Amino acid sequence: MKAPAAAPAVPPARAVPASLAVPAHPAAAPAAQPLRENGWSALTPEQRAALIADRAESPLSERLLGMSEKFLNTPYVLSPLGEGQGVDPDPTFRLDAVDCLTFVEETLALGMAHGEPEVPALLERIRYASTPSYEDRNHLMEAQWLPNNIKKGLLVDVTRKYAKQDTVTVTKTLTAHTWQSKSSMALQLPRERQPVGTFTLDMIPLEKVLEHARGVASGTILVVMREDLPLKATRITHLGFVVQKKKRTYLRHASKGGYNRVVDEDLETFLARNARYDKWRVTGVSLFEARRPPPTVASQPAPARGSADVGAP
């Protein structure tokens, strides 16, 4: 194992507050009480900082497993993060509530960081195309979150690597008509910030997922895809981390359903439940591997739109 590298200098303005667990805005949605405490709640600020800095040069997959495990039992709260002001005044970071996306985003930022002060800049880089504003947030998975983080070198599509010939190519098309639907208008994006076009992804059909599941490395991001409906701005509705343990494959995810918290759910059970949805049919999953950003990126603002950096496993 390599000796831990010194953490890059971080501008003081990006320093993490003493307690990451305290919501940064009084308007933040209250979290339901978990059945058990999560792994962050009992830690002092000093212990949290030490945990984030510990073994910072370990393989990223190991880091993601360790950080995501601390979120087990964290209550599910829809859209718990925002910009601390404006359209979405929710806090920019918190450890006491997550939804499926913010659970993955915060885990990625914590896992990639060499130390606690890097976390805000990394999270900003993951959540936004360029600037930390509501309009520039990566709201849509196919059109924004996935392609922007792939361009930045933070994600690699590994669907075809694992499913090989069982991989199929699918698309999501956004038109002006899409943005006239109630669910699309709820995003409150100005017309000039509404993505349009056709976005392509690799997918493992739902009925083929279990054939390849045991070969997928722990820490891989799994996203759930539904059928393409013209009035829906996305067809990706859920995501989490693959976890291999005890000769079984699990999905570590923030579940809104019967769990209402972060859990490790047997993937076979998860897929069987998803296969029963008939109002908006689940069609398959895609897989993405997280990559470390270049050493200097964590302490820098997010890049201009369209730029790309090469990450490392």
Side-chain angles (χ1 to χ4, degrees), residues 2 42 49 109 143 153 180 202 235 239 245 269 272:
K2 295 180 180 179
Q180 294 174 12
D202 284 339
R235 56 186 294 185
L239 71 165
K245 60 180 180 178
T269 302

Side-chain angles (χ1 to χ4, degrees), residues 1-243:
M1 183 180 297
K2 295 180 180 179
V10 179
R14 291 187 178 276
V16 179
S19 175
L20 292 175
V22 178
H25 194 280
Q33 291 300 310
L35 298 178
R36 297 176 294 276
E37 289 186 338
N38 74 9
W40 298 106
S41 56
L43 300 179
T44 65
E46 293 75 19
Q47 288 172 327
R48 283 195 298 272
L51 175 66
I52 295 169
D54 186 42
R55 300 179 182 177
E57 294 300 327
S58 297
L60 182 55
S61 59
E62 293 180 14
R63 295 273 296 172
L64 297 179
L65 288 176
M67 297 302 171
S68 63
E69 186 176 32
K70 294 293 181 183
F71 282 102
L72 289 173
N73 299 310
T74 304
Y76 181 102
V77 171
L78 181 62
S79 188
L81 299 185
E83 287 71 48
Q85 60 184 349
V87 177
D88 190 349
D90 285 331
T92 57
F93 195 93
R94 61 191 296 184
L95 294 171
D96 64 336
V98 292
D99 61 14
C100 64
L101 178 58
T102 58
F103 163 59
V104 169
E105 291 174 329
E106 291 185 312
T107 295
L108 289 173
L110 290 161
M112 292 175 178
H114 289 86
E116 184 179 84
E118 291 184 6
V119 174
L122 284 164
L123 185 60
E124 178 182 308
R125 189 172 180 82
I126 294 163
R127 281 177 56 79
Y128 299 94
S130 181
T131 58
S133 65
Y134 181 83
E135 293 78 11
D136 212 29
R137 193 197 299 176
N138 292 319
H139 293 280
L140 304 178
M141 294 296 290
E142 301 93 332
Q144 298 173 318
W145 199 89
L146 288 170
N148 284 341
N149 282 305
I150 288 171
K151 286 178 183 178
K152 295 172 186 178
L154 303 180
L155 291 178
V156 174
D157 188 336
V158 292
T159 309
R160 195 169 294 274
K161 168 186 172 182
Y162 288 111
K164 297 182 171 60
Q165 71 275 6
D166 285 334
T167 306
V168 298
T169 300
V170 297
T171 61
K172 172 61 197 173
T173 298
L174 298 173
T175 66
H177 184 55
T178 307
W179 290 101
Q180 294 174 12
S181 70
K182 183 177 180 180
S183 61
S184 299
M185 289 190 294
L187 285 175
Q188 302 182 53
L189 291 177
R191 181 172 298 179
E192 66 273 13
R193 304 308 298 272
Q194 297 171 357
V196 294
T198 297
F199 305 89
T200 303
L201 283 174
D202 284 339
M203 183 186 79
I204 309 173
L206 192 63
E207 65 274 12
K208 295 285 187 178
V209 176
L210 285 179
E211 295 181 24
H212 303 282
R214 285 296 294 159
V216 178
S218 290
T220 302
I221 297 170
L222 180 150
V223 305
V224 178
M225 196 173 301
R226 301 192 183 220
E227 61 185 332
D228 187 9
L229 300 180
L231 292 180
K232 295 286 190 181
T234 183
R235 56 186 294 185
I236 293 174
T237 57
H238 197 64
L239 71 165
F241 293 101
V242 173
V243 177

